[in-house]
Amino acid sequence: MMSITDSANAIDIAKVSFGISHDIAWQQKGDWQAPESPFMSFEFWQVLMKTGAIGKDAGWWQFFVEVYQQDELLNNKLHSLPNQADKNENNHQNGKLVAVMPVFIKDHHRGEFVFDYRWAQAFDQVGADYYPRLVTAVPFIPITGERVWLTVGTTLNDSIITALIAGIDAIAKQVQASSWHGLFVNQDFCQKIQNNFPSEVELKIFNPESMAELPIFERQGCQFLWRNQQLPKGGAGFASFEEFLATFTAKRRRAIKAERRKVAAQGLICRRKVGTEISADDWEVFYHCYVMTYAVRGQLPYLTLDFFKQLAKRLPQHLMLAQALDDNGEIVASSLFLFDADSKSANSRALYGRYWGALSDFDSLHFELCYYQGIEFAIERGLAFFDPGTQGEHKLIRGFIPVATHSLHRIYDPRFVPAIGAFCDAEREQMRLYREDATTALPFNQDNLPSQLF
């Protein structure tokens, strides 16, 4: 383990230190706060590891930066990566584990949804290595949220932030990583990082004296989010799908109804199952549908059938499966959602649309199973938001509002820092203009237009 050295962030080195581990034994070391979403639950990450979705062989080699608070530093050694870990003692007898962040070592970009291929090409053009690179994310899922597990009573303060980044830097130094990428972080975490680390580089020639002086750049993107809120009625939730449609212009309302009639006209009916209602046969058919989504693009799926079966065992209370059946009663398409538990604050509970597939082409069925069934479910359950997944401007005319996404990027080769910083600055402005322009495609009538973006 290495203590945090003196830096411009002035963390209290007598009270904060970090360690690096590669397994999840740390989960037993503290009383942890409830996760913000199912995707940060211990059960979800245990399924990822148990089914081989993450790990060295999967190209998502996981590590965890552990932050400890203690009265005095225990040693001055870095907890090494696994090939050296057995040679070092990681004694935390006088320290209390308060925070943990996942960090993956990767030599590819699959399953990330924030694209930095051009940066990799720039490195290659001058003979520099862009791989390995470090990534903090929920694998395969472009979900905005927290990326740090905190113990009960702990808040994400400046000392913890600085310790986490120091831990990431330590991993980067050991494996000679080109960069670190924190993907789909929430705005609060993004702001805390920017308060503690430089985010701009003014000089064309940048010569930092240490890693601590390297900036952390912000990139912004755009996703589309449905909200369960009637603007003229003080933000009350919708009572029905029809009440939601009543906020649309007449033209767009007719278009949505026409799409739903097309599904019925093809002899299809839709149903939803929750938790333990989803049978073993349902999971088999769902996975067949899921694989088809990748097969039509000539790709292999990210996740296995075992992953979804384990998810059903460990997190059934968070699962909803929408199915389409033909006139013979055969399932022809499936869409799997996760949703927040009732214990979460009502004004922040959300539905997350993640995995979809169909065995044949059906007109408008994707919109029905992935969007309209989700909206109906969110209304029934009183969920405040519905995140249907990344990309898709077609979501706008169906009532999904453009929102900003945030990612953080630290480049360890100073030669590339000014150019990448300028790229991020320009991209943020482009994305701001894009989100602003996207609002012109929203289907709402004048009384229901959002006054501001999320």
Side-chain angles (χ1 to χ4, degrees), residues 15 28 40 63 104 109 167 178 215 246 251 317 345 370 373 391 399 447:
K15 293 185 178 179
Q28 308 303 318
M40 285 297 287
F63 294 86
F104 295 94
H109 308 256
S178 69
K251 179 181 178 181
Q317 72 276 19
S345 173
C370 294
Q373 289 294 318
Q391 302 177 341
D447 291 337

Side-chain angles (χ1 to χ4, degrees), residues 240-247 253 257 260 379:
S240 66
F241 190 88
E242 286 298 318
E243 193 169 59
F244 164 60
L245 282 188
T247 66
R253 188 163 55 245
K257 290 181 176 180
R260 305 199 80 178
I379 292 172

Side-chain angles (χ1 to χ4, degrees), residues 198-215:
S199 58
E200 296 181 357
V201 175
E202 297 181 359
L203 300 178
K204 292 184 179 179
I205 300 177
F206 180 63
N207 293 309
E209 294 184 1
S210 68
M211 275 186 171
E213 294 182 6
L214 290 169

Side-chain angles (χ1 to χ4, degrees), residues 44-45 48 53-54 60 104 111-113 137-142 303 355:
F44 187 86
W45 283 71
L48 285 171
I54 61 176
W60 287 81
F104 295 94
E112 295 180 19
F113 305 97
V138 178
F140 317 114
I141 298 171
L303 302 167
Y355 314 101

Side-chain angles (χ1 to χ4, degrees), residues 8 60 65 84 86 96 100 105 120 133 160 198 220 233 290 294 303 310 330 332 357 364 401 415:
W60 287 81
V65 178
Q84 299 176 339
D86 294 339
K96 176 185 178 184
V100 175
I105 300 176
R133 49 199 281 280
I160 292 174
Q220 290 189 5
K233 298 183 179 180
Y290 167 73
Y294 293 87
L303 302 167
Q310 290 296 322
E330 299 293 328
V332 295
S364 301
I401 297 172
R415 295 175 296 173

Side-chain angles (χ1 to χ4, degrees), residues 1-4 13-19 29 66-78 89-97:
M1 185 182 72
M2 172 183 276
S3 64
I4 306 302
I13 64 172
K15 293 185 178 179
V16 182
S17 59
F18 71 83
K29 297 181 182 179
E66 305 170 1
V67 178
Y68 293 83
Q69 287 184 344
Q70 53 198 48
D71 292 333
E72 59 183 68
L73 297 177
L74 303 174
N75 55 48
N76 196 36
K77 296 188 297 182
L78 171 69
E89 295 181 359
N90 189 26
N91 182 359
H92 295 291
Q93 291 179 353
N94 296 327
K96 176 185 178 184
L97 181 62

